[in-house]
Amino acid sequence: MLIQNMEAEVLAARQMGREVFLLKLQAPAVTAAAQPGQFVHIRCSETMDPLLRRPLSIHDVGDKGEIVLLYQVKGRGTAWLAGREAGDKIDILGPIGRGFTLPAGKRVALVAGGLGIVPLLFLARRALEAGNEVDFFYGAQDKERLYQLETLKAMKINLFVATDDGSAGFHGQVTRLWEHYLEERTYHRGYACGPRAELAEFARLAAKYSMAAEVSLEEKMACGLGACRGCATALLDARGKIYYENVCTGGPVFNAADVYWGDQVK
Amino acid sequence: MKDLDLTSELVPGLKLKNPVMPASGTYDYGDGANAFNPSLLGAIVTKSVSAFPRSGNAPPRIHETPCGILNAVGIPSEGVEAFRRNTLPGLKQYNTALIVSVAGETPEDFAQVISCLEEENGIGAYELNFSCPNLGDGIPFGTNPELLYLAVKQIRKVASRPLIVKLSPNVVDIKLMARQAQDAGADILTVANTLTGMAIDVRRRQPVLGNIFGGLSGPAIKPVALRMVWEVAGAVDIPVIGVGGITDTTDALEFIMAGARAIQVGTANFANPKVMLEIIEGIESYMEENGFTRLADIVGLARR
Amino acid sequence: MKQTVNRSRVNLEVQLAGLTLQNPVMPASGTFGFGEEYAPLFDLNRLGAIVVKTITLQPLIGNPPPRLMETPCGVLNSIGLQNPGLEVFIREKLPYLRRFSPPLIVNIAGRTIDEYAELAERLSAAGGVAALEVNISCPNVKEGGIVFGTVPDMAARVTAAVKSQTHLPVIVKLTPNVTDITAIARAVEEAGADALSLINTVRGMAIDIKTRRPALANIVGGLSGPAIKPVALYAVWQVAQAVKIPLIGMGGIMTSRDAVEFLLAGATAVAVGTAGLVNPTAIIEIIAGLEDYLVEQGLNDIRELIGAVQI
Amino acid sequence: MYVKGKIIEQRKLRSEYNILIIEQAEIARKARPGQFIMLQAWERGDIVLPRPFSLYRILPAKGQLHILYKIRGKATLEMSRRIPGEEVKLIGPLGNGADLPETGNIALLGRGIGAAPLMAIAETAYNRGLVVYTFLSARKRELIPGVVDFTRYSSKVVLSTDDGEENEGRLLTVLLEELITKEGIKIKTVFTCGSKRLAQGLLPMETKYNFRAYVLLEEVMACGIGSCKGCVCKVRTPGTPEGHAYKRVCKDGPVFPASEVIW
């Protein structure tokens, strides 16, 4: 385990959408070890309020030790982060967690819903480097919420876009779009990140087409190191019984078939 | 906006125009220093009135802690006679419910204050402050279920108006305390008072407060107060007024959704004297944006 | 007059219930996993003691998520004592933990008094455990769903049962969710406890006004962090005057200054919990900060601080 | 209630002191020396309360308030980070303020940061044609703020430092006594701030030299407007059973007759 705790300098910070921001940090030690699907745990305050770190999936890495994060402002912590400027220092812990499993020289499907794009862009980059054929399905509410489209278009991937309101690409859920391709293409593996309902649908389709599939999950997190057991998510064991695994160290990437997709566990 | 009904009828005869009022001892009326017209509040809650004048604790009385404050003010009071003469007439002028907070060290003290106030008109209810942790080693009837029952029973006899019992959070089972108060004749419960806490100045190696320990209030204790409101609202049939660390509309809605029919704002008044007005407006906006027309429709929503 | 103190000669060592701690700072149970999670970030040998997560007889899967909620200057959690159970702990975790020199304190919880006794017996026989910390804040099943830690007599019975099955020092961890914590403290002292640790978390909750549901799946959780520090400090100060056995103070300690407050209030040692969730090396910084404080104050020995608050 | 003020300048003095200049015309117009404001110059969830600050200078013509403060905690540290152009929130003027005599001489005795409210008194008194004698002390020379400004408004400024560098560290009350006895200066009113010992030292001198001594008190405050009763001091109060009462520093003070305060 190569988790670094360091003060990373902000290289660039810019707003990408209404509440979405991009942050580029100088963190060579983190970048060198980072795998797609892993995250960094960021202190989002100089004070005791808010108290906890915020986990952000690694969006991309640069070749000079840069790490790129893309996030939505959801509360006080991320609002604080959005206020950082180039030159500021940020306390980060990472890279943390189990990333995606990557084959070499195969055809893979990446399915991103909304900000699910975050870890999948980094995954697409590494998947290409490993000589895979990448079908990238990217859905959002509307055209304005399709982030990083230019970056994706510049990559040697097969990009398919869907929007809920039909303002760009396929009119409908990205999983519906993907289903059309599943009818005709076979994938070695599928990967997804996005809203929970979409992931559940992704998992259902993967099972239906007997495909190995991985999903990246989110959960409120405290230590990020597996010690506090706060960020648990429900999984199913071999006998179909529920147990809880830490999202931070057991994930955030899980086999879609292991995840308990039932509504709320009681 | 016109069709919104923010009223909250706590008991017959005590209908608040909206659910927001100050916590006792945290808001000043009448000095012309008000940030807004107190008639806009759901109710006015006075500082605690005791039978005889009390000077309160030795300073320092206030200390700030992470997201909270410790206070050991010790309920200074002009005494019930001076209160009737000097303070009450001014408070009656406002066009909203008037709740008089009563403090004392024995049930007899409470009964005496209330007997004096019974002769007055214009008072909507009495709030019994059984739970101030700053009154030294008085009989702990705010934290002992049997004593609480007996005290409320005794005070009930002299009070013709609704009795609100303000419960102490420093107990094992607040549900039990709530049921005891209800069974003894309380009409409404305020949940909860401050937690007991302490701070030490490490340079001087002395307690920070003159009284050594004090009551912790503010956002820090909000989760604890909310849990107690949740528990009490599920344990009794009488209405609950929620209090503890409410600083904005979201906090107020949390308490209301947990089952509080009204809420009190305390510490936040110190940081923002307009906060109660902002919360009243905030609740209106929330109702409007979410399609609620009656406040009663939000009360206890998280329990359903 | 303050004297000038050489940093290298400052003594941080304290004695606690027969254990020698090289410094009075340890992690709080439940926030430090089984140590291995923090080992890559600092040398566990620098700690005053190692305290691991609560162990129960049988494995517990814990509570459903969400389990965490951030509150003003605090955290609510309802983990539900998730742990692999006694057997797996002894077989898989203990060998690793034995490699470190600070005393190992194992926190235990049972559903019945018999379970506490069995845990005590088997952990004492396992080797490598220096002391037991008895978590009496969880609700029992057999005795009718009350919390052992809130009834003096029940707390005493648990303590006595554990004592009867072990030669190890027994530390009882007290809950703050009571009217009079000194009554519980005295009861467990009389029942033979060698030390007390306090406080456990304060029960609280949060509601998500968007979903209009409790924010935690378990509805109620334990509040920790700087928000509760004043409550914890008051509990330590009260209990320090009520009992003779040493105390481990905890509750919202984020800095060495906070730790000093607890020592002054009467704690012999302190535990750091939530701070470690925010800053994994907080505990090491607190140890260093204690040294700085002593030098700054012209003191040679940390023991001069214990209970030294002037009233 | 809370109004917005604009920061005009953040001036770093020697040692731990800063001067914050805020533009807030209404408060500057109303304020009297000795009064104070409650200030919020930070957005931090963990700081619950605003902080009281005495007014170091009041410039109604410019609509400005000057605040001399010492960085001693997280709130004042945040305050020191504010820069010109930024907004702060403030309530004021609060408190009773200092009553200056119509004519004659006044003396000001301040220790450390206690000099802050005395400056406003010195300036106002000077502008009204009163003669001002100022006595300031601290541990060392650089901990005495505002000497140059005081010199402008005082007939005489006397310093004393504990390290003996200034006036052999002699007590300010002794130095005041020398002014009265050796130089034959008659003092009508004395204001003191920043040291309990100084205020107590003035008590026996009041009848001896026939002046009135007032003390400006500091206390941790929550509301600042008299509501919470947090910031009290014990004051002699005839007519009460104990003969004293707790008075609110924010509302009944911060200026009290020195002889009435019970330390």
Side-chain angles (χ1 to χ4, degrees):
Chain A
M1 198 158 68
L2 261 172
I3 296 177
Q4 307 285 324
N5 186 6
M6 62 183 292
E7 294 274 312
E9 189 182 330
V10 177
L11 297 173
R14 68 174 185 272
Q15 188 157 6
M16 305 289 284
R18 219 158 60 85
E19 287 169 330
V20 175
F21 293 79
L22 184 135
L23 193 65
K24 193 185 265 187
L25 303 173
Q26 182 67 35
V30 176
T31 309
Q35 298 297 323
Q38 289 189 305
F39 65 96
V40 286
H41 211 23
I42 303 186
R43 188 92 172 85
C44 289
S45 164
E46 289 162 302
T47 73
M48 287 186 282
D49 189 56
L51 191 62
L52 298 178
R53 289 172 183 265
R54 301 291 188 265
L56 293 184
S57 279
I58 297 168
H59 181 49
D60 205 355
V61 296
D63 43 19
K64 294 188 193 73
E66 310 98 316
I67 184 167
V68 183
L69 305 170
L70 180 74
Y71 62 96
Q72 185 176 10
V73 171
K74 286 183 181 166
R76 294 177 305 147
T78 38
W80 179 91
L81 202 58
R84 298 312 96 192
E85 299 168 351
D88 289 349
K89 291 274 173 68
I90 293 179
D91 177 357
I92 69 170
L93 194 60
I96 302 176
R98 200 189 86 128
F100 294 103
T101 322
L102 258 186
K106 309 280 188 194
R107 177 185 286 271
V108 294
L110 278 59
V111 182
L115 276 182
I117 179 70
V118 173
L120 295 188
L121 185 135
F122 184 24
L123 176 67
R125 194 178 296 289
R126 287 286 161 91
L128 289 174
E129 283 165 15
N132 295 292
E133 170 93 20
V134 177
D135 284 2
F136 199 111
F137 299 84
Y138 184 13
Q141 262 177 285
D142 53 38
K143 201 169 68 180
E144 272 64 50
R145 289 180 175 81
L146 289 165
Y147 305 102
Q148 297 286 52
L149 221 44
E150 294 311 310
T151 313
L152 288 171
K153 281 177 182 163
M155 295 167 80
K156 286 187 162 39
I157 56 174
N158 311 311
L159 182 62
F160 309 94
V161 168
T163 50
D164 297 352
D165 68 350
S167 53
F170 175 78
H171 187 166
Q173 293 278 318
V174 68
T175 40
R176 291 271 299 127
L177 171 62
W178 184 46
E179 199 174 357
H180 288 293
Y181 283 84
L182 278 172
E183 301 285 344
E184 52 196 62
R185 291 191 184 175
T186 314
Y187 295 101
H188 177 77
R189 210 168 249 273
Y191 309 88
C193 183
R196 182 120 183 149
E198 232 165 82
L199 295 184
E201 176 61 9
F202 168 84
R204 190 186 67 81
L205 292 172
K208 183 175 165 193
Y209 291 92
S210 313
M211 181 181 60
E214 293 179 336
V215 293
S216 175
L217 299 184
E218 269 193 311
E219 195 59 59
K220 287 222 167 78
M221 207 173 270
C223 72
L225 301 171
C228 74
R229 310 279 191 272
C231 59
T233 194
L235 300 184
L236 296 170
D237 66 14
R239 289 167 302 155
K241 240 183 97 192
I242 286 172
Y243 71 103
Y244 296 113
E245 179 59 275
N246 299 325
V247 169
C248 63
T249 50
V253 175
F254 294 94
N255 287 325
D258 294 344
V259 176
Y260 174 70
W261 295 105
D263 254 9
Q264 179 78 33
V265 192
K266 284 288 170 201
Chain B
M1 196 88 176
K2 285 237 164 55
D3 301 331
L4 293 181
D5 175 9
L6 260 73
T7 59
S8 184
E9 186 170 31
L10 296 181
V11 288
L14 186 62
K15 185 171 181 177
L16 310 183
K17 61 173 81 167
N18 67 63
V20 182
M21 64 182 91
S24 170
T26 63
Y27 198 72
D28 225 16
Y29 312 94
D31 300 26
N34 297 312
F36 58 90
N37 180 358
S39 296
L40 296 169
L41 292 167
I44 281 174
V45 184
T46 69
K47 286 164 206 173
S48 292
V49 179
S50 58
F52 298 102
R54 300 173 44 92
S55 51
N57 290 329
R61 291 176 167 187
I62 300 270
H63 175 68
E64 191 177 75
T65 68
C67 294
I69 64 171
L70 276 171
N71 89 76
V73 172
I75 313 191
S77 167
E78 56 194 328
V80 67
E81 283 311 328
F83 173 77
R84 283 177 68 181
R85 211 169 42 241
N86 305 333
T87 308
L88 194 55
L91 297 177
K92 285 179 183 172
Q93 290 170 12
Y94 297 115
N95 177 29
T96 189
L98 175 61
I99 296 171
V100 178
S101 169
V102 181
E105 293 184 23
T106 64
E108 290 74 24
D109 290 349
F110 284 88
Q112 187 180 343
V113 173
I114 289 173
S115 297
C116 287
L117 294 172
E118 283 287 289
E119 297 163 25
E120 296 283 347
N121 58 15
I123 296 173
Y126 306 114
E127 185 183 70
L128 309 181
N129 182 358
F130 283 172
S131 47
C132 180
N134 302 328
L135 290 179
D137 294 327
I139 307 165
F141 51 85
T143 53
N144 178 309
E146 286 79 32
L147 295 179
L148 178 84
Y149 178 85
L150 293 173
V152 174
K153 195 112 186 149
Q154 187 176 344
I155 297 162
R156 176 77 277 174
K157 284 183 194 143
V158 300
S160 66
R161 300 193 170 101
L163 275 188
I164 307 171
V165 174
K166 187 167 182 178
L167 297 176
S168 164
N170 300 299
V171 295
V172 175
D173 184 0
I174 194 138
K175 302 186 292 297
L176 172 64
M177 304 302 285
R179 281 192 291 260
Q180 292 286 94
Q182 173 180 259
D183 293 350
D187 301 290
I188 302 164
L189 299 171
T190 299
V191 181
N193 212 317
T194 53
L195 294 170
T196 315
M198 174 183 184
I200 292 174
D201 179 336
V202 300
R203 280 215 342 254
R204 289 166 44 238
R205 298 182 210 156
Q206 285 174 4
V208 172
L209 294 176
N211 189 55
I212 302 177
F213 57 88
L216 181 64
S217 65
I221 68 154
K222 194 194 79 177
V224 182
L226 184 71
R227 184 263 298 177
M228 291 187 169
V229 166
W230 173 275
E231 288 179 342
V232 170
V236 296
D237 305 318
I238 55 179
V240 173
I241 303 173
V243 58
I246 297 175
T247 57
D248 59 20
T249 304
T250 303
D251 295 340
L253 288 169
E254 280 193 70
F255 278 79
I256 293 168
M257 288 179 183
R261 301 251 291 264
I263 58 107
Q264 295 182 344
V265 179
T267 309
N269 289 320
F270 302 149
N272 175 9
K274 266 195 185 147
V275 69
M276 290 188 287
L277 193 60
E278 290 169 10
I279 290 174
I280 296 168
E281 290 167 358
I283 293 173
E284 282 175 349
S285 310
Y286 176 85
M287 287 169 63
E288 213 164 26
E289 284 160 21
N290 291 276
F292 294 102
T293 50
R294 299 182 327 137
L295 178 82
D297 297 338
I298 326 177
V299 174
L301 210 51
R303 320 182 66 89
R304 291 173 204 163
Chain C
M1 255 346 258
K2 280 179 192 171
Q3 55 190 118
T4 312
V5 172
N6 185 334
R7 197 184 161 103
S8 62
R9 287 185 42 210
V10 163
N11 175 53
L12 289 183
E13 187 181 294
V14 295
Q15 301 289 322
L16 184 117
L19 307 177
T20 299
L21 313 183
Q22 59 181 344
N23 65 64
V25 188
M26 62 186 82
S29 171
T31 62
F32 199 63
F34 295 110
E36 59 207 357
E37 296 87 350
Y38 284 83
L41 291 154
F42 60 85
D43 181 2
L44 302 193
N45 285 320
R46 291 166 70 184
L47 299 174
I50 294 175
V51 186
V52 294
K53 253 189 97 58
T54 299
I55 299 297
T56 54
L57 265 187
Q58 302 303 325
L60 288 180
I61 68 165
N63 289 330
R67 292 176 172 185
L68 285 177
M69 179 69 197
E70 189 179 66
T71 70
C73 294
V75 191
L76 277 171
N77 85 76
S78 66
I79 309 295
L81 300 183
Q82 180 180 340
N83 80 95
L86 180 67
E87 266 182 48
V88 174
F89 172 75
I90 291 175
R91 199 173 61 233
E92 292 175 15
K93 306 293 179 185
L94 202 50
Y96 171 79
L97 289 162
R98 281 196 198 103
R99 293 193 294 198
F100 300 99
S101 54
L104 173 66
I105 301 174
V106 178
N107 186 293
I108 57 170
R111 288 170 300 178
T112 63
I113 291 177
D114 290 345
E115 283 194 5
Y116 278 103
E118 188 178 345
L119 282 158
E121 186 192 355
R122 289 172 59 188
L123 280 166
S124 308
V129 177
L132 299 174
E133 184 180 57
V134 186
N135 178 356
I136 54 171
S137 314
C138 40
N140 66 74
V141 179
K142 207 172 161 189
E143 262 67 33
I146 55 155
V147 177
F148 285 116
T150 62
V151 181
D153 177 52
M154 295 297 287
R157 282 166 59 195
V158 173
T159 307
V162 170
K163 275 300 279 184
S164 72
Q165 298 300 319
T166 185
H167 57 281
L168 299 174
V170 172
I171 305 162
V172 179
K173 187 164 181 176
L174 305 183
T175 168
N177 302 297
V178 295
T179 300
D180 182 6
I181 196 167
T182 62
I184 310 280
R186 276 191 293 262
V188 300
E189 180 184 41
E190 269 172 46
D194 300 287
L196 302 173
S197 52
L198 64 160
I199 58 174
N200 212 321
T201 53
V202 184
R203 279 156 45 79
M205 83 177 274
I207 289 174
D208 180 340
I209 71 158
K210 285 207 192 87
T211 62
R212 302 168 195 158
R213 295 290 313 148
L216 299 176
N218 192 48
I219 302 178
V220 172
L223 181 64
S224 66
I228 66 159
K229 196 190 80 178
V231 176
L233 190 72
Y234 178 59
V236 168
W237 181 74
Q238 275 187 302
V239 170
Q241 282 156 87
V243 300
K244 293 190 184 65
I245 51 179
L247 310 181
I248 306 171
M250 67 197 72
I253 296 176
M254 301 296 283
T255 66
S256 56
R257 300 266 144 171
D258 296 335
V260 171
E261 282 193 71
F262 279 81
L263 296 173
L264 290 170
T268 298
V270 296
V272 178
T274 305
L277 306 181
V278 179
N279 171 12
T281 52
I283 194 164
I284 299 300
E285 287 154 28
I286 287 170
I287 295 167
L290 283 178
E291 256 176 24
D292 295 341
Y293 175 83
L294 290 177
V295 171
E296 196 182 294
Q297 295 286 310
L299 299 173
N300 281 309
D301 195 326
I302 194 124
R303 288 172 300 184
E304 291 177 60
L305 293 179
I306 298 168
V309 63
Q310 296 156 31
I311 300 298
Chain D
M1 254 321 177
Y2 273 96
V3 292
K4 282 188 177 148
K6 197 170 101 187
I7 296 181
I8 300 299
E9 194 181 337
Q10 175 82 258
R11 197 181 295 161
K12 180 114 195 65
L13 303 187
R14 281 189 297 177
S15 213
E16 311 127 312
Y17 302 121
N18 278 23
I19 289 176
L20 187 69
I21 302 177
I22 302 170
E23 188 177 85
Q24 218 308 311
E26 200 190 337
I27 297 178
R29 184 163 48 79
K30 288 186 190 161
R32 302 194 301 128
Q35 288 190 300
F36 69 98
I37 55 158
M38 293 296 274
L39 182 73
Q40 276 178 322
W42 40 81
E43 298 257 338
R44 277 175 59 149
D46 61 336
I47 304 179
V48 180
L49 301 174
R51 297 287 192 266
F53 292 97
S54 61
L55 298 169
Y56 177 67
R57 292 188 70 191
I58 305 159
L59 304 176
K62 287 184 170 175
Q64 289 182 357
L65 304 166
H66 291 214
I67 293 164
L68 173 76
Y69 67 101
K70 183 175 167 180
I71 299 172
R72 50 177 142 200
K74 55 193 176 180
T76 41
L77 183 65
E78 284 290 338
M79 195 168 150
S80 70
R81 291 173 177 165
R82 301 287 82 85
I83 55 170
E86 287 189 297
E87 280 187 340
V88 294
K89 290 198 287 181
L90 57 171
I91 302 184
L94 299 167
N96 58 0
D99 280 327
L100 295 176
E102 294 296 316
T103 54
N105 304 331
I106 67 165
L108 307 175
L109 276 68
R111 180 161 176 88
I113 191 72
L118 300 182
M119 177 63 74
I121 297 178
E123 187 171 355
T124 309
Y126 174 83
N127 289 336
R128 287 196 199 163
L130 304 180
V131 180
V132 181
Y133 295 91
T134 300
F135 299 80
L136 302 170
S137 73
R139 273 188 294 119
K140 45 189 181 173
R141 177 63 188 83
E142 61 262 38
L143 297 178
I144 302 179
V147 176
V148 177
D149 287 340
F150 273 110
T151 308
R152 200 180 308 155
Y153 305 117
S154 312
S155 289
K156 187 170 187 171
V157 175
V158 182
L159 306 184
S160 173
T161 56
D162 303 353
D163 60 10
E165 197 185 308
E166 299 282 350
N167 262 311
E168 296 93 41
R170 294 161 66 207
L171 291 178
L172 296 187
T173 43
V174 172
L175 295 168
L176 170 67
E177 196 156 13
E178 281 184 12
L179 178 85
I180 297 169
T181 55
K182 289 193 183 154
E183 300 184 31
I185 307 279
K186 188 158 165 39
I187 298 291
K188 214 167 193 174
T189 310
V190 179
F191 295 96
T192 184
C193 183
S195 160
K196 168 180 153 185
R197 208 169 136 197
L198 266 181
Q200 285 175 314
L202 286 170
L203 297 183
M205 295 168 68
E206 270 194 298
T207 40
K208 197 168 171 191
Y209 300 113
N210 196 27
F211 60 70
R212 273 293 260 172
Y214 292 92
V215 58
L216 287 80
L217 294 182
E218 292 176 292
E219 192 57 65
V220 176
M221 289 181 190
C223 74
I225 54 177
S227 162
C228 73
K229 311 256 193 307
C231 62
V232 294
C233 61
K234 213 183 236 185
V235 173
R236 261 177 255 287
T237 312
T240 57
E242 301 90 355
H244 61 75
Y246 286 118
K247 291 278 176 79
R248 299 163 297 186
V249 172
C250 68
K251 189 98 184 175
D252 306 314
V255 186
F256 291 94
S259 58
E260 291 181 10
V261 176
I262 302 170
W263 300 95

